[in-house]
Amino acid sequence: MYEAVDPSRWADVDRRLRKELKSNESARLLAIENVEILQTKLERLKQQRRVRPGENTWNRLNKVVTLLKPVAQAADVLAQGACLPSAVLWGALGVVVELVGSRTETLDNVLLAYESLLDVLPTVPSFTEALRESSNLQVAIVDVYDAFTALSVRSLKTFGRGSRMHSWNTFLWMRDRKLFQNSIQDLEALVRKARQEAGHALMEQRRAREAQTLGKVERNTEDILSALSIGDADWPRNQKTQTIRFTAPPKNPSFVGREERLGAIHRHLQPTSQTEQSAQQRSVVLCGLGGVGKTQLAIEYAHRFKNCYQFCFWVTCDSLVRAAEGFSEIARVLDLGDLGVVQNLGNVKHWFHTTYERWLLIFDNAERLRDMADFWPQSRNGAVLLTTQDARWLSQEQITLGLQLDSLTRTDGVDLVGRLFKHRDQSITEADAVRIVDEAGGLPLAIRQIASYILAEDMNTTLFFRNYHDHRHSKTVDAWEESATPWYSYTLATFLDVAFGKLSARGVSTLGIICFLDADKIQERFLCHGSSIEEEKEEEEDEKEDLDKDDNEEVVFHSPIESDKDIKQLCRYSLVSKCRTESGIDLSVHRQVKRQVLNRLTATQLDLCSSWVMQRLRQLFPRQTPFASEFDDENSNCAPWIKHILALRNAMPTLRRRIQAPEVLASLFLDGGIYLWAKGLLSDGKSLTGEAKTLCDTLPVGKSMTAQVYSFHASILSDCGDVDRSLKYFQRSLEILKSHLIAVRDMALDSDHALLANSWNNLAGIYNATHDYDKAEMYNELSVRQKQKIARKGLDVSYLLCLSYQNMASTYAGQMRYDEAAEYFGKATQLGDLTESTCRRAPLISHNFGIMRLEQGRTGEARELFETAWKQRYERHGDHPDTAASLHMLACCYHLMGDTDSLKIARFLLKDALRMLESRPSDVDQSRVARTEFKLSIVQRALDDAGADASREHAQQLYLALTGSPTRPSSEHEFDVLVPYI
């Protein structure tokens, strides 16, 4: 009866599908045997993801299910027992929705493709009668089955297998759409023949279908509303859920009080009804002076109510680096990969925006308001809790509840003292506890320190306070906050005076070293000076001899045994906290303790501690040779120590002009700046290289190091769009280096000559950007000759030559000497394929080569080169200005192609480039934003997009603000002047 299709073809499609699927995907597919199981699963997913009635994506899903039912039925009939195609169809759809559906827009694109495929067939409740009349319809059904399964596999490969390259995958989906459309056109031709063969049967079924539709609409609507609606009575405020991810610090066992504040936070963050839940994102700010207990209250809230959230994340954000690191950690916890700072930030924010799970994000120790704007997530399913000393946060628009945190009440303070004493198996009278609380003004930090000191020294409170009042009028008081009550600064300063009297010289040095480092995470192994514990034990006896010579001499420890003794004393006094983690022992110090300690160290102690920290960080943080190879921003030896380098940078006002080894510190700041630059944190990178430059300008630093500092500071300024200052510093770097080479003459190192060659190369690059091609060519030739001279000595300078060949190619391209440019692009590409360091130049080579081909009108070649550059940059750097630049140029290619599909791709690429540029944690390059948004307006206008005028207006406003011009720009060329390096 159904002889048009060989039954074995169904089995062939089935085998091909299972071969393409991963084991977990196959298991999910087999679990969905029919439409009833699928619909049950979909209803569960809708409730988990809190889908609201009427959402377009899920309406489209319902339509796909309706269209698929007659196809699945017909497929089972045609397969004649060879397999069960309907189970495969329902299973494939279910797997795709489950694994792809976390991104609504992605799922919508996939469902649209399914819909387009199924819409080819006539819309009827059953094909059974028509199949007998039409062999072409039989073939069409099996072709649709084949195409549906292939589309499912493509969807899973592109979007559903944890791929981190979402933008690239979406682009491929759009680019390859024409191939899919060609398949649909072939099917449409087949179906037209089927309509002619089985027209009467299909017409009768269509009429029956239309007669049933009106009656079903109301019933279906009621069913959907009933399944999706959750009444207020069924939405408990403290609904229990299993916490899937929890990254808050450990619970503080001695936490007391604050019940009213905890209740207020929870009542606000956990709405009482679905209506309140959907109104807006809930956020609470805890504001108060340092040491008043904001962080401890946030930790207590996270632990006490963690079962009310499925995800709870903790981000320390006293600096951009710390905040970015926190979001990178969240990306790893969520299995979003680690694709660099900017990409991680974008991926995590997108997860917050699109997830259907309930989450809590805690920002601890937030400082500058403008820095936090880029990290703030937007989602009605989440809640934000923020701690800060800055009272301006209380009036911010995104904050829905502000709470000012004061000192503990006397009752809670006495309770805290009692717990601290009980923890040490000691007791204290209520009168003595009250005296401690009153003396500390209810400040938890001070209460803990005084109680810990009394316990550590095993002294009575009367004796302690007699000693304490002897130091009451300390001259080392730092009233860091004008609004602080008098007891606040006096309490901390007085206690430190008391504690310093008991600490050994080694203990004071240990505390001083800790206070020069990042406050929150100081690896204990950092304090073990040496490459290993075993090596240090071998040195122990020699060191003890030296120490015995003068017990009172101020020394910095070198032995882990001795350092452990000092750290234990600091922990007993509650000056330092200790925590065991998966990676070992971590130490932390309260920021206010850190401030007070640094302000009271003597000049000798400052010199001793800062010098030790510099030398230790220099030992641990890799010294790069950036002129021989590209800096490795993924070096695992960098990440643990960069926060300490930034902390040392922040202590510079304390150390100014007292630095014992300025060249060591300059090299440390230089390498740290390059690392952050490579990570995409331009602001902190520029700050570190700028600090290194100040050291070079004011203290005795060698000329070779000074030239490097100027050169890299100029490179970062160039990336920030400051071409004029960049050129100035590149020229200054060259002057310093020439002076150095003249002074040392034959004693110059090969690295100095390599540095000179690269200085010429950098100048050539800047002159290329400013279109001064004659100077660019001159410096390129000097650079190439110098590098070839070094290569003749047998040294590997392939990376350096790759830079110069690439620069030379760009120079020739700017002069329209295209054949010579292509030759040098070829040389650069050949070198770029040789080693790991040179292959990292490949994206830039492809990008610049693409620009030249585009200028030549060879759009096809240019498009392939820009696609290569974008993919390579995306894989290595994720969302980065360089990636956005390749996106912009690729969009130009698709714009030139002119057809509607190409214009839509161009629009997508430009919007994604804008997202990358505007989502940076700092230093948004408004020139690039203006250039890309103006190009977007042109593409939108070609598509009759309603947003074209708004994009154009915004781009023009940015242009006027950047240039100060009174005239609005109207052409792309005017924006090209803003961004010569795009």
Side-chain angles (χ1 to χ4, degrees):
M1 185 184 298
Y2 305 112
E3 298 176 353
V5 179
D6 185 344
S8 64
R9 186 178 171 194
W10 299 95
D12 291 341
V13 173
D14 191 43
R15 279 194 296 271
R16 188 164 63 247
L17 171 67
R18 296 181 192 282
K19 184 178 179 181
E20 294 279 0
L21 293 178
K22 292 187 173 182
S23 57
N24 67 316
E25 294 165 350
S26 293
R28 291 172 190 262
L29 184 145
L30 291 172
I32 305 174
E33 298 177 349
N34 52 54
V35 68
E36 288 76 18
I37 295 175
L38 172 67
Q39 288 177 324
T40 301
K41 192 174 190 65
L42 294 181
E43 292 302 330
R44 193 181 306 122
L45 281 174
K46 288 177 184 179
Q47 291 187 21
Q48 289 175 357
R49 298 173 181 180
R50 300 183 189 177
V51 178
R52 309 297 176 188
E55 284 195 9
N56 290 335
T57 298
W58 292 85
N59 286 343
R60 176 164 282 131
L61 177 57
N62 288 334
K63 182 179 178 182
V64 169
V65 170
T66 301
L67 292 172
L68 191 58
K69 284 180 180 179
V71 177
Q73 182 188 37
D76 283 348
V77 171
L78 291 173
Q80 301 182 56
C83 62
L84 192 62
S86 63
V88 174
L89 291 170
W90 298 124
L93 178 59
V95 172
V96 168
V97 172
E98 187 174 2
L99 298 183
V100 175
S102 59
R103 287 180 179 264
T104 304
E105 70 274 20
T106 300
L107 179 58
D108 199 53
N109 283 332
V110 173
L111 292 175
L112 185 60
Y114 278 138
E115 188 179 336
S116 300
L117 173 63
L118 297 173
D119 270 340
V120 172
L121 296 170
T123 306
V124 294
S126 172
F127 291 109
T128 306
E129 295 299 326
L131 286 174
R132 296 191 182 96
E133 306 292 334
S134 174
S135 59
N136 283 303
L137 184 59
Q138 296 174 29
V139 175
I141 294 293
V142 73
D143 284 349
V144 167
Y145 175 70
D146 195 348
F148 192 95
T149 54
L151 180 59
S152 300
V153 170
R154 180 180 162 214
S155 301
L156 291 171
K157 284 183 175 180
T158 307
F159 301 118
R161 292 182 175 173
S163 173
R164 292 4 178 206
M165 298 185 61
H166 177 72
S167 296
W168 173 257
N169 292 334
T170 303
F171 163 70
L172 292 180
W173 185 270
M174 297 175 70
R175 189 192 67 180
D176 297 340
R177 184 181 171 191
K178 287 185 178 179
L179 298 176
F180 180 66
Q181 288 175 330
N182 291 339
S183 300
I184 288 181
Q185 288 173 1
D186 293 340
L187 275 170
E188 286 174 341
L190 194 61
V191 169
R192 280 196 294 271
K193 295 179 181 177
R195 287 179 186 275
Q196 294 172 359
E197 292 175 344
H200 177 72
L202 292 173
M203 183 62 70
E204 289 298 317
Q205 292 193 44
R206 177 172 295 178
R207 287 172 181 169
R209 175 78 171 181
E210 291 172 353
Q212 296 173 4
T213 299
L214 187 59
K216 285 187 176 181
V217 167
E218 292 183 1
R219 291 197 299 275
N220 287 342
T221 303
E222 289 173 2
D223 290 343
I224 293 171
L225 289 173
S226 174
L228 295 182
S229 62
I230 304 174
D232 287 356
D234 299 323
W235 191 282
R237 182 190 314 159
N238 293 328
Q239 183 178 354
K240 299 293 183 180
T241 61
Q242 182 181 2
T243 304
I244 301 174
R245 299 286 189 274
F246 185 83
T247 64
K251 183 179 174 66
N252 180 0
S254 60
F255 180 88
V256 297
R258 310 291 196 191
E259 294 299 327
E260 183 181 342
R261 289 302 194 204
L262 285 166
I265 294 170
H266 193 57
R267 284 192 298 274
H268 189 75
L269 294 184
Q270 287 286 321
T272 57
S273 70
Q274 183 181 2
T275 303
E276 291 182 30
Q277 169 74 11
S278 61
Q280 66 178 123
Q281 183 184 72
R282 298 304 182 100
S283 56
V284 174
V285 61
L286 300 176
C287 185
L289 297 172
V292 80
K294 302 180 297 298
T295 297
Q296 295 305 317
L297 178 57
I299 292 173
E300 179 66 18
Y301 176 80
H303 282 273
R304 188 175 298 190
F305 296 104
K306 66 180 181 180
N307 287 333
C308 297
Y309 302 94
Q310 289 171 297
F311 296 87
C312 177
F313 299 115
W314 185 280
V315 175
T316 302
C317 44
D318 54 354
S319 70
L320 286 173
V321 170
R322 294 296 300 275
E325 182 188 66
F327 271 71
S328 293
E329 177 61 25
I330 294 174
R332 289 189 287 271
V333 168
L334 293 174
D335 296 325
L336 300 177
D338 190 354
L339 297 175
V341 170
V342 180
Q343 181 69 15
N344 289 341
L345 174 58
N347 286 347
V348 171
K349 286 178 70 175
H350 187 275
W351 183 89
F352 281 130
H353 181 67
T354 58
T355 185
Y356 299 95
E357 313 294 352
R358 188 177 294 126
W359 52 264
L360 172 66
L361 176 62
I362 300 174
F363 288 124
D364 183 45
N365 203 36
E367 292 189 351
R368 294 180 299 185
L369 284 79
R370 68 176 183 274
D371 289 346
M372 290 304 300
D374 293 315
F375 295 94
W376 199 272
Q378 296 296 332
S379 170
R380 66 189 182 193
N381 290 328
V384 175
L385 178 60
L386 180 142
T387 73
T388 182
Q389 294 185 49
D390 191 341
R392 289 177 297 174
W393 274 101
L394 294 170
S395 59
Q396 292 304 297
E397 182 180 356
Q398 64 266 47
I399 300 299
T400 54
L401 177 65
L403 297 176
Q404 185 75 41
L405 202 61
D406 298 318
S407 299
L408 292 174
T409 64
R410 178 180 284 182
T411 301
D412 288 338
V414 169
D415 189 10
L416 174 59
V417 174
R419 291 192 184 199
L420 293 171
F421 272 74
K422 186 177 180 180
H423 182 67
R424 302 276 186 92
D425 296 323
Q426 300 288 326
S427 61
I428 186 171
T429 66
E430 184 175 350
D432 285 342
V434 168
R435 190 175 182 188
I436 292 174
V437 174
D438 290 347
E439 189 63 45
L443 183 70
L445 174 63
I447 292 172
R448 182 179 297 276
Q449 289 175 338
I450 291 173
S452 298
Y453 182 87
I454 292 172
L455 286 164
E457 295 301 318
D458 194 22
M459 65 186 346
N460 63 52
T461 54
T462 302
L463 180 59
F464 169 80
F465 280 112
R466 185 183 301 135
N467 187 21
Y468 181 85
H469 283 289
D470 288 342
H471 295 84
R472 192 69 177 83
H473 300 292
S474 169
K475 294 180 181 179
T476 52
V477 169
D478 171 27
W480 67 87
E481 175 67 49
E482 291 181 4
S483 62
T485 51
W487 54 260
Y488 193 82
S489 286
Y490 276 105
T491 300
L492 294 178
T494 305
F495 173 74
L496 283 174
D497 274 352
V498 174
F500 266 49
K502 284 289 185 179
L503 290 174
S504 66
R506 187 181 296 277
V508 172
S509 296
T510 302
L511 181 59
I513 285 171
I514 289 172
C515 289
F516 270 109
L517 301 171
D518 178 68
D520 290 318
K521 188 174 182 180
I522 303 162
Q523 298 90 329
E524 193 176 46
R525 62 193 173 101
F526 178 88
L527 303 177
C528 302
H529 195 292
S531 58
S532 69
I533 299 294
E534 288 72 24
E535 290 177 9
E536 289 173 359
K537 285 182 178 177
E538 292 174 4
E539 299 173 4
E540 185 182 348
E541 294 303 321
D542 294 336
E543 291 179 326
K544 282 186 177 178
E545 275 184 31
D546 295 335
L547 292 174
D548 290 339
K549 291 178 183 177
D550 186 356
D551 243 3
N552 297 319
E553 183 182 358
E554 290 191 356
V555 294
V556 178
F557 53 83
H558 293 275
S559 164
I561 298 174
E562 293 160 340
S563 68
D564 186 57
K565 176 182 176 182
D566 298 319
I567 290 169
K568 283 181 178 178
Q569 185 181 25
L570 295 175
C571 291
R572 286 200 303 271
Y573 289 177
S574 286
L575 292 171
V576 171
S577 298
K578 197 172 184 179
C579 177
R580 183 175 297 278
T581 65
E582 292 181 0
S583 58
I585 301 296
D586 286 344
L587 307 174
S588 62
V589 58
H590 197 283
R591 287 168 177 78
Q592 300 307 341
V593 172
K594 177 175 175 174
R595 287 184 50 133
Q596 293 277 356
V597 169
L598 290 180
N599 282 335
R600 76 179 45 249
L601 290 177
T602 66
T604 303
Q605 289 168 335
L606 282 172
D607 292 345
L608 184 70
C609 295
S610 61
S611 295
W612 192 94
V613 169
M614 287 178 215
Q615 297 291 345
R616 183 63 169 148
L617 284 173
R618 183 65 285 174
Q619 177 193 35
L620 293 169
F621 197 84
R623 179 70 182 105
Q624 302 300 310
T625 53
F627 298 106
S629 63
E630 183 162 329
F631 189 89
D632 183 6
D633 63 327
E634 297 176 357
N635 194 322
S636 60
N637 292 325
C638 297
W641 316 120
I642 186 63
K643 296 187 295 295
H644 300 315
I645 295 175
L646 288 167
L648 190 57
R649 187 260 332 255
N650 293 336
M652 287 302 291
T654 306
L655 293 176
R656 188 66 68 201
R657 299 189 180 282
R658 295 202 56 82
I659 298 167
Q660 300 299 304
E663 180 141 356
V664 172
L665 188 56
S667 72
L668 192 61
F669 285 164
L670 172 63
D671 288 336
I674 298 171
Y675 172 77
L676 294 174
W677 173 37
K679 283 288 187 184
L681 291 166
L682 294 184
S683 180
D684 281 308
K686 183 171 65 174
S687 174
L688 278 177
T689 55
E691 198 68 57
K693 174 184 166 298
T694 301
L695 288 171
C696 294
D697 291 341
T698 57
L699 294 172
V701 176
K703 289 185 177 180
S704 178
M705 176 57 62
T706 301
Q708 289 185 51
V709 167
Y710 266 88
S711 180
F712 273 101
H713 190 54
S715 296
I716 296 178
L717 289 173
S718 175
D719 261 17
C720 292
D722 192 347
V723 177
D724 292 337
R725 276 207 302 163
S726 177
L727 177 58
K728 173 184 173 183
Y729 290 144
F730 275 137
Q731 290 172 333
R732 177 65 180 143
S733 172
L734 184 58
E735 292 169 6
I736 294 169
L737 195 55
K738 284 182 176 178
S739 172
H740 169 66
L741 290 173
I742 290 171
V744 299
R745 294 185 180 277
D746 294 338
M747 298 180 66
L749 302 173
D750 289 329
S751 59
D752 291 329
H753 289 293
L755 183 59
L756 175 63
N758 221 55
S759 294
W760 283 327
N761 189 82
N762 288 331
L763 278 172
I766 287 293
Y767 283 123
N768 270 337
T770 56
H771 307 297
D772 190 342
Y773 296 117
D774 291 338
K775 287 184 179 178
E777 184 176 3
M778 177 186 72
Y779 284 116
N780 270 324
E781 289 175 351
L782 288 170
S783 177
V784 169
R785 283 202 295 268
Q786 181 75 0
K787 291 171 184 178
Q788 289 173 339
K789 181 178 178 182
I790 297 171
R792 284 195 290 272
K793 295 182 179 181
L795 300 176
D796 181 11
V797 291
S798 56
Y799 174 79
L800 294 176
L801 279 172
C802 185
L803 292 177
S804 289
Y805 290 156
Q806 179 181 292
N807 241 357
M808 187 70 86
S810 296
T811 300
Y812 286 143
Q815 295 171 321
M816 292 188 287
R817 295 156 63 179
Y818 296 125
D819 291 341
E820 292 165 278
E823 178 187 350
Y824 274 94
F825 275 128
K827 289 182 178 181
T829 301
Q830 186 177 10
L831 281 175
D833 293 335
L834 292 179
T835 66
E836 172 66 19
S837 62
T838 55
C839 76
R840 295 178 184 176
R841 306 301 302 178
L844 185 58
I845 297 169
S846 297
H847 180 90
N848 289 338
F849 200 179
I851 290 175
M852 187 186 83
R853 289 307 191 206
L854 193 60
E855 289 174 354
Q856 290 179 275
R858 296 162 71 166
T859 307
E861 290 180 53
R863 187 186 67 198
E864 291 177 4
L865 287 163
F866 288 131
E867 284 182 10
T868 300
W870 174 29
K871 187 173 187 294
Q872 291 172 337
R873 283 174 161 174
Y874 202 77
E875 287 173 339
R876 178 161 175 74
H877 299 297
D879 288 350
H880 190 277
D882 290 344
T883 312
S886 293
L887 274 173
H888 180 104
M889 298 310 300
L890 181 58
C892 291
C893 295
Y894 277 98
H895 177 227
L896 288 173
M897 291 166 67
D899 60 277
T900 301
D901 286 339
S902 296
L903 289 173
K904 287 180 179 179
I905 292 175
R907 180 176 60 186
F908 164 77
L909 295 172
L910 291 166
K911 285 185 175 181
D912 207 47
L914 275 175
R915 178 189 60 78
M916 289 185 189
L917 293 171
E918 294 177 334
S919 65
R920 296 185 61 73
S922 62
D923 295 311
V924 174
D925 190 339
Q926 299 294 352
S927 299
R928 293 195 188 201
V929 171
R931 173 73 181 87
T932 299
E933 189 141 28
F934 189 78
K935 183 67 179 181
L936 175 61
S937 73
I938 295 172
V939 173
Q940 287 174 321
R941 183 164 292 182
L943 287 167
D944 292 326
D945 192 319
D949 291 340
S951 297
R952 185 182 183 88
E953 174 66 20
H954 186 230
Q956 290 175 333
Q957 290 292 344
L958 285 175
Y959 179 93
L960 296 178
L962 289 165
T963 64
S965 170
T967 307
R968 286 175 174 268
S970 58
S971 68
E972 284 189 80
H973 175 72
E974 292 171 279
F975 285 91
D976 288 339
V977 175
L978 285 178
V979 193
Y981 48 88
I982 196 164

